[in-house]
Short mmCIF file of all heavy atoms in Angstrom, two decimals:
data_model
loop_
_atom_site.label_atom_id
_atom_site.label_comp_id
_atom_site.label_asym_id
_atom_site.label_seq_id
_atom_site.Cartn_x
_atom_site.Cartn_y
_atom_site.Cartn_z
N GLN A 3 -14.19 -7.27 10.85
CA GLN A 3 -15.31 -6.93 11.73
C GLN A 3 -14.78 -6.52 13.08
O GLN A 3 -14.13 -7.31 13.77
CB GLN A 3 -16.28 -8.09 11.87
CG GLN A 3 -17.56 -7.73 12.60
CD GLN A 3 -18.64 -8.78 12.43
OE1 GLN A 3 -18.38 -9.93 12.05
NE2 GLN A 3 -19.88 -8.40 12.66
N ALA A 4 -15.04 -5.28 13.43
CA ALA A 4 -14.66 -4.76 14.74
C ALA A 4 -15.82 -4.96 15.71
O ALA A 4 -16.98 -5.09 15.28
CB ALA A 4 -14.31 -3.28 14.62
N PRO A 5 -15.55 -4.99 17.01
CA PRO A 5 -16.63 -5.19 18.00
C PRO A 5 -17.73 -4.16 17.82
O PRO A 5 -17.47 -2.95 17.74
CB PRO A 5 -15.91 -5.02 19.33
CG PRO A 5 -14.50 -5.40 19.04
CD PRO A 5 -14.23 -4.92 17.65
N GLY A 6 -18.97 -4.64 17.76
CA GLY A 6 -20.12 -3.76 17.65
C GLY A 6 -20.36 -3.18 16.28
O GLY A 6 -21.27 -2.35 16.11
N LYS A 7 -19.57 -3.60 15.31
CA LYS A 7 -19.72 -3.07 13.95
C LYS A 7 -20.03 -4.18 12.97
O LYS A 7 -19.80 -5.36 13.24
CB LYS A 7 -18.45 -2.34 13.53
CG LYS A 7 -18.16 -1.09 14.35
CD LYS A 7 -17.00 -0.32 13.76
CE LYS A 7 -16.74 0.97 14.53
NZ LYS A 7 -15.61 1.75 13.95
N GLU A 8 -20.55 -3.79 11.82
CA GLU A 8 -20.84 -4.77 10.78
C GLU A 8 -19.55 -5.20 10.08
O GLU A 8 -18.54 -4.49 10.09
CB GLU A 8 -21.80 -4.17 9.76
CG GLU A 8 -23.19 -3.88 10.30
CD GLU A 8 -24.16 -3.44 9.22
OE1 GLU A 8 -23.70 -3.16 8.09
OE2 GLU A 8 -25.36 -3.34 9.50
N ARG A 9 -19.63 -6.37 9.48
CA ARG A 9 -18.49 -6.86 8.71
C ARG A 9 -18.32 -5.97 7.48
O ARG A 9 -19.28 -5.66 6.78
CB ARG A 9 -18.74 -8.30 8.29
CG ARG A 9 -17.53 -9.01 7.75
CD ARG A 9 -17.76 -10.51 7.69
NE ARG A 9 -17.94 -11.08 9.01
CZ ARG A 9 -18.00 -12.39 9.25
NH1 ARG A 9 -17.86 -13.26 8.26
NH2 ARG A 9 -18.19 -12.84 10.47
N GLU A 10 -17.09 -5.53 7.22
CA GLU A 10 -16.85 -4.63 6.11
C GLU A 10 -15.79 -5.16 5.17
O GLU A 10 -14.84 -5.85 5.57
CB GLU A 10 -16.44 -3.24 6.62
CG GLU A 10 -15.13 -3.16 7.34
CD GLU A 10 -14.70 -1.74 7.64
OE1 GLU A 10 -15.37 -0.79 7.21
OE2 GLU A 10 -13.65 -1.59 8.30
N PHE A 11 -15.94 -4.79 3.92
CA PHE A 11 -15.02 -5.19 2.87
C PHE A 11 -13.67 -4.52 3.05
O PHE A 11 -13.60 -3.34 3.41
CB PHE A 11 -15.64 -4.81 1.52
CG PHE A 11 -14.70 -4.92 0.35
CD1 PHE A 11 -14.42 -6.16 -0.21
CD2 PHE A 11 -14.11 -3.80 -0.18
CE1 PHE A 11 -13.56 -6.27 -1.30
CE2 PHE A 11 -13.26 -3.89 -1.26
CZ PHE A 11 -12.99 -5.13 -1.81
N VAL A 12 -12.62 -5.27 2.75
CA VAL A 12 -11.26 -4.72 2.80
C VAL A 12 -10.59 -4.78 1.43
O VAL A 12 -10.09 -3.77 0.93
CB VAL A 12 -10.40 -5.48 3.84
CG1 VAL A 12 -8.96 -4.96 3.82
CG2 VAL A 12 -11.00 -5.36 5.24
N ALA A 13 -10.57 -5.97 0.81
CA ALA A 13 -9.87 -6.13 -0.46
C ALA A 13 -10.41 -7.34 -1.20
O ALA A 13 -11.01 -8.24 -0.60
CB ALA A 13 -8.37 -6.28 -0.23
N HIS A 14 -10.18 -7.34 -2.52
CA HIS A 14 -10.69 -8.43 -3.36
C HIS A 14 -9.67 -8.74 -4.45
O HIS A 14 -9.07 -7.81 -5.02
CB HIS A 14 -12.01 -8.00 -3.98
CG HIS A 14 -12.57 -8.96 -5.00
ND1 HIS A 14 -12.23 -8.95 -6.33
CD2 HIS A 14 -13.48 -9.97 -4.85
CE1 HIS A 14 -12.90 -9.89 -6.97
NE2 HIS A 14 -13.67 -10.52 -6.10
N ILE A 15 -9.50 -10.03 -4.73
CA ILE A 15 -8.65 -10.42 -5.85
C ILE A 15 -9.37 -11.50 -6.65
O ILE A 15 -9.90 -12.47 -6.08
CB ILE A 15 -7.27 -10.90 -5.35
CG1 ILE A 15 -6.32 -11.10 -6.53
CG2 ILE A 15 -7.37 -12.16 -4.48
CD1 ILE A 15 -4.85 -11.20 -6.11
N SER A 16 -9.38 -11.33 -7.94
CA SER A 16 -10.06 -12.27 -8.81
C SER A 16 -9.14 -13.42 -9.17
O SER A 16 -7.98 -13.48 -8.75
CB SER A 16 -10.52 -11.54 -10.06
OG SER A 16 -11.24 -12.40 -10.92
N TYR A 17 -9.68 -14.35 -9.95
CA TYR A 17 -8.86 -15.45 -10.44
C TYR A 17 -8.64 -15.37 -11.94
O TYR A 17 -7.99 -16.22 -12.52
CB TYR A 17 -9.47 -16.81 -10.08
CG TYR A 17 -10.88 -17.04 -10.61
CD1 TYR A 17 -11.09 -17.58 -11.87
CD2 TYR A 17 -11.98 -16.72 -9.83
CE1 TYR A 17 -12.36 -17.79 -12.35
CE2 TYR A 17 -13.26 -16.92 -10.29
CZ TYR A 17 -13.46 -17.46 -11.55
OH TYR A 17 -14.73 -17.67 -12.02
N ILE A 18 -9.22 -14.32 -12.57
CA ILE A 18 -8.96 -14.09 -13.98
C ILE A 18 -8.40 -12.68 -14.12
O ILE A 18 -8.70 -11.80 -13.32
CB ILE A 18 -10.22 -14.26 -14.85
CG1 ILE A 18 -11.34 -13.31 -14.40
CG2 ILE A 18 -10.70 -15.70 -14.80
CD1 ILE A 18 -12.54 -13.35 -15.30
N SER A 19 -7.60 -12.51 -15.16
CA SER A 19 -6.92 -11.24 -15.35
C SER A 19 -7.57 -10.48 -16.49
O SER A 19 -7.35 -10.80 -17.67
CB SER A 19 -5.44 -11.48 -15.65
OG SER A 19 -4.76 -10.25 -15.81
N LEU A 20 -8.37 -9.50 -16.12
CA LEU A 20 -9.03 -8.61 -17.08
C LEU A 20 -8.91 -7.19 -16.54
O LEU A 20 -8.72 -6.99 -15.34
CB LEU A 20 -10.52 -8.97 -17.22
CG LEU A 20 -10.87 -10.31 -17.83
CD1 LEU A 20 -12.37 -10.55 -17.71
CD2 LEU A 20 -10.44 -10.40 -19.28
N PRO A 21 -9.09 -6.20 -17.42
CA PRO A 21 -9.08 -4.81 -16.91
C PRO A 21 -10.13 -4.58 -15.82
O PRO A 21 -9.93 -3.74 -14.94
CB PRO A 21 -9.37 -3.98 -18.16
CG PRO A 21 -8.86 -4.81 -19.29
CD PRO A 21 -9.15 -6.25 -18.88
N SER A 22 -11.21 -5.33 -15.89
CA SER A 22 -12.29 -5.14 -14.92
C SER A 22 -12.12 -5.98 -13.66
O SER A 22 -12.98 -5.94 -12.77
CB SER A 22 -13.64 -5.49 -15.57
OG SER A 22 -13.64 -6.84 -16.01
N THR A 23 -11.05 -6.75 -13.58
CA THR A 23 -10.88 -7.64 -12.42
C THR A 23 -9.56 -7.41 -11.70
O THR A 23 -9.03 -8.31 -11.06
CB THR A 23 -10.98 -9.12 -12.84
OG1 THR A 23 -9.93 -9.41 -13.78
CG2 THR A 23 -12.32 -9.46 -13.44
N THR A 24 -9.02 -6.22 -11.80
CA THR A 24 -7.81 -5.91 -11.04
C THR A 24 -8.16 -5.88 -9.55
O THR A 24 -9.31 -5.67 -9.17
CB THR A 24 -7.24 -4.56 -11.46
OG1 THR A 24 -8.25 -3.56 -11.31
CG2 THR A 24 -6.77 -4.60 -12.91
N PRO A 25 -7.18 -6.10 -8.68
CA PRO A 25 -7.45 -6.07 -7.23
C PRO A 25 -8.09 -4.75 -6.80
O PRO A 25 -7.80 -3.69 -7.34
CB PRO A 25 -6.06 -6.24 -6.61
CG PRO A 25 -5.30 -7.02 -7.62
CD PRO A 25 -5.79 -6.52 -8.95
N ASN A 26 -9.00 -4.88 -5.84
CA ASN A 26 -9.73 -3.71 -5.35
C ASN A 26 -9.59 -3.60 -3.85
O ASN A 26 -9.47 -4.60 -3.14
CB ASN A 26 -11.21 -3.81 -5.71
CG ASN A 26 -11.44 -3.76 -7.20
OD1 ASN A 26 -11.48 -4.79 -7.86
ND2 ASN A 26 -11.58 -2.58 -7.75
N TYR A 27 -9.69 -2.37 -3.38
CA TYR A 27 -9.50 -2.09 -1.96
C TYR A 27 -10.56 -1.11 -1.47
O TYR A 27 -11.02 -0.24 -2.21
CB TYR A 27 -8.12 -1.49 -1.71
CG TYR A 27 -6.99 -2.36 -2.20
CD1 TYR A 27 -6.47 -2.23 -3.48
CD2 TYR A 27 -6.46 -3.35 -1.38
CE1 TYR A 27 -5.47 -3.05 -3.94
CE2 TYR A 27 -5.43 -4.18 -1.83
CZ TYR A 27 -4.94 -4.02 -3.11
OH TYR A 27 -3.94 -4.84 -3.56
N ALA A 28 -10.90 -1.26 -0.20
CA ALA A 28 -11.75 -0.26 0.44
C ALA A 28 -10.97 1.05 0.54
O ALA A 28 -9.74 1.06 0.66
CB ALA A 28 -12.16 -0.73 1.83
N ASP A 29 -11.69 2.15 0.50
CA ASP A 29 -11.04 3.46 0.59
C ASP A 29 -10.21 3.58 1.87
O ASP A 29 -9.17 4.22 1.88
CB ASP A 29 -12.10 4.56 0.56
CG ASP A 29 -12.74 4.71 -0.80
OD1 ASP A 29 -12.18 4.18 -1.80
OD2 ASP A 29 -13.80 5.35 -0.89
N SER A 30 -10.68 2.94 2.93
CA SER A 30 -10.02 3.06 4.23
C SER A 30 -8.65 2.40 4.27
O SER A 30 -7.85 2.72 5.16
CB SER A 30 -10.91 2.45 5.32
OG SER A 30 -11.19 1.09 5.03
N VAL A 31 -8.37 1.50 3.33
CA VAL A 31 -7.08 0.80 3.33
C VAL A 31 -6.29 1.04 2.04
O VAL A 31 -5.15 0.58 1.92
CB VAL A 31 -7.24 -0.71 3.55
CG1 VAL A 31 -7.97 -0.98 4.85
CG2 VAL A 31 -7.94 -1.37 2.37
N GLU A 32 -6.88 1.73 1.08
CA GLU A 32 -6.22 1.99 -0.20
C GLU A 32 -4.87 2.65 0.04
O GLU A 32 -4.75 3.62 0.80
CB GLU A 32 -7.10 2.91 -1.05
CG GLU A 32 -6.54 3.24 -2.41
CD GLU A 32 -6.70 2.11 -3.41
OE1 GLU A 32 -7.83 1.63 -3.59
OE2 GLU A 32 -5.68 1.71 -4.02
N GLY A 33 -3.85 2.10 -0.60
CA GLY A 33 -2.49 2.64 -0.44
C GLY A 33 -1.73 2.06 0.72
O GLY A 33 -0.51 2.25 0.82
N ARG A 34 -2.42 1.36 1.61
CA ARG A 34 -1.76 0.77 2.78
C ARG A 34 -1.78 -0.75 2.73
O ARG A 34 -1.02 -1.40 3.46
CB ARG A 34 -2.43 1.23 4.07
CG ARG A 34 -2.40 2.73 4.28
CD ARG A 34 -2.88 3.11 5.68
NE ARG A 34 -4.28 2.77 5.90
CZ ARG A 34 -4.70 1.95 6.87
NH1 ARG A 34 -3.82 1.37 7.67
NH2 ARG A 34 -6.00 1.71 7.02
N CYS A 35 -2.63 -1.32 1.89
CA CYS A 35 -2.78 -2.77 1.82
C CYS A 35 -2.54 -3.27 0.41
O CYS A 35 -2.84 -2.56 -0.57
CB CYS A 35 -4.18 -3.20 2.26
SG CYS A 35 -4.49 -3.03 4.02
N THR A 36 -2.03 -4.49 0.33
CA THR A 36 -1.84 -5.15 -0.96
C THR A 36 -2.32 -6.58 -0.85
O THR A 36 -1.89 -7.31 0.03
CB THR A 36 -0.37 -5.14 -1.38
OG1 THR A 36 0.11 -3.80 -1.45
CG2 THR A 36 -0.20 -5.80 -2.75
N ILE A 37 -3.22 -6.95 -1.75
CA ILE A 37 -3.71 -8.33 -1.79
C ILE A 37 -3.02 -9.05 -2.93
O ILE A 37 -2.79 -8.48 -4.00
CB ILE A 37 -5.25 -8.36 -1.94
CG1 ILE A 37 -5.78 -9.78 -1.76
CG2 ILE A 37 -5.69 -7.76 -3.27
CD1 ILE A 37 -7.31 -9.86 -1.69
N SER A 38 -2.66 -10.30 -2.70
CA SER A 38 -2.00 -11.09 -3.73
C SER A 38 -2.37 -12.54 -3.53
O SER A 38 -2.92 -12.93 -2.49
CB SER A 38 -0.47 -10.91 -3.67
OG SER A 38 0.03 -11.31 -2.40
N ARG A 39 -2.06 -13.37 -4.53
CA ARG A 39 -2.37 -14.79 -4.41
C ARG A 39 -1.30 -15.63 -5.07
O ARG A 39 -0.61 -15.17 -5.99
CB ARG A 39 -3.74 -15.09 -5.01
CG ARG A 39 -3.87 -14.93 -6.50
CD ARG A 39 -5.33 -15.07 -6.95
NE ARG A 39 -5.89 -16.37 -6.60
CZ ARG A 39 -7.20 -16.64 -6.50
NH1 ARG A 39 -8.07 -15.67 -6.74
NH2 ARG A 39 -7.62 -17.84 -6.20
N ASP A 40 -1.18 -16.85 -4.56
CA ASP A 40 -0.27 -17.85 -5.13
C ASP A 40 -1.10 -19.11 -5.31
O ASP A 40 -1.31 -19.87 -4.36
CB ASP A 40 0.91 -18.08 -4.18
CG ASP A 40 1.94 -19.05 -4.74
OD1 ASP A 40 1.59 -19.80 -5.67
OD2 ASP A 40 3.07 -19.05 -4.25
N ASN A 41 -1.60 -19.33 -6.51
CA ASN A 41 -2.50 -20.46 -6.75
C ASN A 41 -1.80 -21.80 -6.58
O ASN A 41 -2.43 -22.79 -6.23
CB ASN A 41 -3.12 -20.36 -8.14
CG ASN A 41 -4.15 -19.24 -8.23
OD1 ASN A 41 -4.79 -18.88 -7.25
ND2 ASN A 41 -4.29 -18.68 -9.42
N ALA A 42 -0.50 -21.84 -6.83
CA ALA A 42 0.24 -23.09 -6.67
C ALA A 42 0.23 -23.55 -5.21
O ALA A 42 0.32 -24.75 -4.93
CB ALA A 42 1.66 -22.93 -7.17
N LYS A 43 0.11 -22.59 -4.31
CA LYS A 43 0.10 -22.90 -2.87
C LYS A 43 -1.29 -22.77 -2.27
O LYS A 43 -1.45 -22.91 -1.05
CB LYS A 43 1.07 -21.98 -2.13
CG LYS A 43 2.51 -22.14 -2.54
CD LYS A 43 3.41 -21.19 -1.74
CE LYS A 43 4.87 -21.36 -2.14
NZ LYS A 43 5.76 -20.43 -1.40
N ASN A 44 -2.30 -22.44 -3.10
CA ASN A 44 -3.66 -22.22 -2.60
C ASN A 44 -3.70 -21.13 -1.54
O ASN A 44 -4.41 -21.24 -0.54
CB ASN A 44 -4.27 -23.51 -2.03
CG ASN A 44 -4.63 -24.51 -3.11
OD1 ASN A 44 -4.55 -24.22 -4.31
ND2 ASN A 44 -5.01 -25.70 -2.71
N MET A 45 -2.95 -20.08 -1.76
CA MET A 45 -2.81 -19.03 -0.77
C MET A 45 -3.24 -17.67 -1.32
O MET A 45 -3.03 -17.37 -2.49
CB MET A 45 -1.36 -18.91 -0.31
CG MET A 45 -0.78 -20.12 0.37
SD MET A 45 -1.44 -20.37 2.03
CE MET A 45 -0.71 -18.97 2.86
N VAL A 46 -3.82 -16.87 -0.44
CA VAL A 46 -4.07 -15.46 -0.69
C VAL A 46 -3.49 -14.69 0.49
O VAL A 46 -3.64 -15.12 1.64
CB VAL A 46 -5.56 -15.15 -0.87
CG1 VAL A 46 -5.80 -13.64 -0.90
CG2 VAL A 46 -6.09 -15.79 -2.15
N TYR A 47 -2.86 -13.57 0.19
CA TYR A 47 -2.19 -12.79 1.22
C TYR A 47 -2.78 -11.37 1.28
O TYR A 47 -3.24 -10.84 0.28
CB TYR A 47 -0.69 -12.68 0.92
CG TYR A 47 -0.02 -14.01 0.70
CD1 TYR A 47 0.18 -14.51 -0.59
CD2 TYR A 47 0.41 -14.78 1.78
CE1 TYR A 47 0.80 -15.73 -0.80
CE2 TYR A 47 1.04 -16.00 1.58
CZ TYR A 47 1.23 -16.47 0.29
OH TYR A 47 1.82 -17.68 0.08
N LEU A 48 -2.69 -10.79 2.46
CA LEU A 48 -3.04 -9.38 2.62
C LEU A 48 -1.91 -8.73 3.41
O LEU A 48 -1.77 -8.96 4.61
CB LEU A 48 -4.37 -9.21 3.35
CG LEU A 48 -4.85 -7.76 3.47
CD1 LEU A 48 -5.24 -7.22 2.09
CD2 LEU A 48 -6.03 -7.65 4.44
N GLN A 49 -1.12 -7.94 2.71
CA GLN A 49 -0.05 -7.18 3.35
C GLN A 49 -0.62 -5.85 3.82
O GLN A 49 -1.17 -5.10 3.01
CB GLN A 49 1.10 -6.96 2.38
CG GLN A 49 2.23 -6.10 2.92
CD GLN A 49 2.98 -6.76 4.06
OE1 GLN A 49 3.24 -7.96 4.03
NE2 GLN A 49 3.33 -5.98 5.08
N MET A 50 -0.48 -5.58 5.09
CA MET A 50 -1.03 -4.35 5.65
C MET A 50 0.10 -3.52 6.26
O MET A 50 0.84 -4.01 7.12
CB MET A 50 -2.08 -4.67 6.72
CG MET A 50 -3.22 -5.52 6.23
SD MET A 50 -4.56 -5.65 7.41
CE MET A 50 -3.74 -6.48 8.75
#
């Protein structure tokens, strides 16, 4: 959320692995961001 703007989606990662649940990205960050998770550490990351 930028000042004066609405909150916008950036990326999503599921907890199940299916063809329909691969990580997703907003068009504005596609190719520049990577979302990942480490369940053993209860962590989700966003590399930008």
Side-chain angles (χ1 to χ4, degrees):
Q3 188 166 18
K7 295 187 177 181
E8 293 187 350
R9 193 166 296 189
E10 66 172 355
F11 169 78
V12 176
H14 174 274
I15 189 164
S16 182
Y17 58 88
I18 59 174
S19 181
L20 294 172
S22 60
T23 61
T24 56
N26 295 91
Y27 303 91
D29 290 344
S30 58
V31 303
E32 181 78 53
R34 300 189 295 121
C35 288
T36 302
I37 189 171
S38 60
R39 67 188 300 160
D40 184 341
N41 288 332
K43 297 180 179 179
N44 287 353
M45 297 288 292
V46 171
Y47 306 97
L48 184 69
Q49 176 67 40
M50 303 190 296

